[in-house]
Amino acid sequence: MASIPALVEPAVLRWARRSIGLDTVAAARKIGVPDDRIEKWEAGDEQPTIAQLKSAATAYKRPLAVFFLAEPPQGFDAMRDFRRHDESDGEWSPELHGEYRRALLQRDNSLELFELDDALPSSSWIVSLPGGSDDDLARAARKKLLGATPVPLPTGSGGPYEHLNTWVSALEEAGVLVMATHGGKVKTREMRAFSLYFETMPVIMLNGADSARGRLFSLLHEYAHLLLHTGGLCDMIADTKATSIDRQLEARCNAIAASILMPAELVLRRPEVVARVNRQGTWDYEALRSAAAPFGTSAEAFLRRLVVLGRVSHEFYSARRPEFLATYEAEESRSKAGGGNWYRNQARDLGKGYVRHVADAHRRRVIDSYTAATYLNVKVGQIERLARTAAIQEPV
C-alpha cells in the first residue's frame, strides 16, 4: 500500500524544527528517518508521509494542525529575549525549549479553568511600595506571603523540603503558577530557574534536578524578578562585582530573595552569629549550616547574607566560598535518592497548585476525564492518586 504524502510547506517544517532548537540530523534521528531526509523535506525535494509528519509533530512538540498552515506563524509562542549571563551558551537546548512551551501551555490551561468558573486568579503576589527600599519590599512581601500561606513555616527540626513546601504553597496561593522541569532533563548549568512575568498568573519554573535548598533560593530569586516586573532565565551565579546591567539585576534579585528568606533581625539573633561578632575567622561549614537550617537555605547563601549584613568581609567570603560550596555539593549529592515516587515527581513537576486546580475542576465535572488527563499528562485512572499526592500536607 502506497504511503500518503503530507502536503506541507517546507518553510513551516523548517520553522517547527528551529523553534525547538534541533539541527537537521538530530531531528531526523528523533523522527526515525535517514539523516539527510529533513534537509530534503525543508528544501521541498521530498515530502513526509502522514505517519512521518505525526512523528515530526511529536518530536517538535507541535500540534499536527500547525504543519498545514500556509506559512510559518508570526508571534506564535515566540521566545522572549531572556537574560543570559556572559558565560552562558546563547542557544537553548531542545529540552529547555520544551519546558518553556509547557509553562505557557499549563498557564493557558489554568486560565481556561478560571474562565469556565467565571472566576479570576489571585493577584495578591503583587507588592507595590513606591519609593520604598528593596529591604522594605522584601519585608512586605514576606509578611504578605506568610500571612496567607496554607502551610506555616516549619519550626524546630524542619528540613529544606518543608521550607520549600511552605514558600511554594504561599506563592501558589498568591496567584503564581509554580512548576519544575521534568525528570532533570534540563541541566542546572543551563538553567536554575526561569520566570514569565504576567500581571495575571505569572509563572516560575524551577529545575527539578536541583536540590531543595537550591530550588528554594531560586524560587524567591524569581519572585523578586516578578516583583520588579521582569522575567527571565537564571543560572544563579554569584557575582560580587556585578558590572553589567544584567548582573546588577541578578545581584539585586539575589539580595531581595535573601532578605525575604533570611530577615536581618532573625539572622542577627541566631546564637551562632551572636557568638562570632568580630570573630569571622571562627566560621566553619558546620556552624554556617547550623545557622542556615532554620531558614531552609544553604550555608553558602547564609554566608553571603552575613556579608550583606556586615558580619563577615567580602575577602573572607571569596576565600572560603569554594570550600563551602564543595562541601555543600558533596553533601547534597549523597542525600539525593535515585528515582523517587513517580506521583510525587509528577506533582512537583506540574506544580501541586496546578494539579489541585485541574483535579478539583474534574471532581466538580467542570471538565471531563479526558481533558483532565490531558492537562495532567496522565491516564484517567491516575488522576485521583495524583490529586492526593498534591494535597497541601504533602512535602514538595
Side-chain angles (χ1 to χ4, degrees):
M1 181 177 177
S3 298
I4 302 174
L7 303 179
V8 294
E9 290 294 329
V12 175
L13 288 170
R14 188 180 308 110
W15 162 81
R17 174 182 59 79
R18 289 177 174 174
S19 74
I20 200 165
L22 290 173
D23 61 33
T24 57
V25 173
R29 292 176 181 178
K30 277 184 172 290
I31 295 168
V33 296
D35 288 356
D36 62 349
R37 189 64 53 83
I38 302 298
E39 291 184 351
K40 292 179 179 179
W41 289 351
E42 294 181 1
D45 297 333
E46 294 184 11
Q47 290 177 323
T49 65
I50 292 294
Q52 289 169 339
L53 187 62
K54 288 180 178 178
S55 296
T58 300
Y60 298 161
K61 301 185 185 301
R62 294 289 181 184
L64 185 62
V66 168
F67 292 88
F68 293 98
L69 295 172
E71 59 185 19
Q74 299 296 318
F76 183 90
D77 187 27
M79 286 292 180
R80 296 185 177 200
D81 184 18
F82 276 149
R83 294 166 289 101
R84 303 302 306 273
H85 287 304
D86 295 339
E87 297 90 341
S88 300
D89 186 353
E91 294 296 323
W92 289 23
S93 67
E95 291 78 15
L96 182 53
H97 276 271
E99 294 293 40
Y100 169 88
R101 197 167 297 140
R102 178 168 69 88
L104 292 176
L105 177 62
Q106 285 190 214
R107 178 177 181 270
D108 287 344
N109 292 344
S110 291
L111 291 175
E112 182 179 358
L113 294 180
F114 276 107
E115 186 175 347
L116 290 172
D117 277 331
D118 195 22
L120 293 174
S122 172
S123 59
S124 62
W125 66 271
I126 298 172
V127 178
S128 180
L129 290 176
S133 68
D134 283 354
D135 281 339
D136 293 334
L137 181 66
R139 193 175 299 110
R142 178 183 172 92
K143 181 178 180 180
K144 193 170 189 179
L145 290 178
L146 295 182
T149 180
V151 182
L153 276 174
T155 57
S157 59
Y161 283 97
E162 286 77 14
H163 283 272
L164 178 59
N165 193 39
T166 293
W167 288 104
V168 168
S169 299
L171 284 166
E172 289 175 336
E173 190 74 11
V176 179
L177 184 60
V178 182
M179 61 187 73
T181 59
H182 274 314
K185 292 181 179 178
V186 178
K187 304 301 181 185
T188 54
R189 65 175 177 269
E190 179 180 22
M191 184 275 285
R192 299 295 296 272
F194 70 70
S195 53
L196 305 174
Y197 175 78
F198 301 95
E199 286 192 4
T200 301
M201 195 178 289
V203 180
I204 293 175
M205 179 171 278
L206 306 175
N207 194 315
D210 209 349
S211 66
R213 292 184 181 92
R215 277 184 277 156
L216 175 60
F217 200 88
S218 295
L219 176 73
L220 274 298
H221 176 101
E222 295 305 324
Y223 178 50
H225 275 294
L226 298 181
L227 291 175
L228 299 177
H229 293 202
T230 62
L233 180 139
C234 304
D235 57 17
M236 304 295 290
I237 293 174
D239 187 353
T240 57
K241 296 180 181 178
T243 53
S244 71
I245 293 176
D246 282 350
R247 284 194 176 276
Q248 288 169 3
L249 177 60
E250 295 305 305
R252 185 182 180 191
C253 289
N254 272 346
I256 293 173
S259 188
I260 293 174
L261 286 169
M262 298 174 281
E265 62 275 14
L266 298 184
V267 169
L268 297 177
R269 284 206 299 263
R270 289 295 304 165
E272 300 91 344
V273 177
V274 173
R276 289 170 173 78
V277 173
N278 299 322
R279 297 172 58 216
Q280 70 174 16
T282 62
W283 280 108
D284 57 19
Y285 182 78
E286 289 303 319
L288 285 166
R289 185 175 66 169
S290 174
F295 305 102
T297 60
S298 68
E300 190 274 334
F302 191 84
L303 178 61
R304 198 181 331 140
R305 185 69 171 140
L306 292 177
V307 173
V308 173
L309 297 177
R311 289 298 186 267
V312 300
S313 67
H314 282 284
E315 291 74 19
F316 179 83
Y317 171 80
S318 298
R320 303 299 298 275
R321 180 175 181 267
E323 171 196 343
F324 293 151
L325 271 181
T327 305
Y328 164 72
E329 289 169 359
E331 184 180 81
E332 290 293 339
S333 179
R334 288 193 301 269
S335 67
K336 280 187 178 180
N341 180 281
W342 183 86
Y343 285 94
R344 182 167 295 179
N345 290 342
Q346 185 75 352
R348 174 202 66 193
D349 296 348
L350 292 171
K352 289 190 171 185
Y354 175 81
V355 172
R356 291 194 297 270
H357 192 192
V358 175
D360 177 66
H362 177 245
R363 179 185 56 79
R364 294 184 291 109
R365 299 184 179 180
V366 174
I367 56 175
D368 60 23
S369 295
Y370 174 80
T371 301
T374 301
Y375 282 7
L376 297 173
N377 193 29
V378 298
K379 298 175 182 178
V380 170
Q382 296 173 318
I383 295 174
E384 184 177 349
R385 183 174 174 184
L386 183 63
R388 290 199 304 269
T389 305
I392 289 289
Q393 68 270 16
E394 290 284 337
V396 173

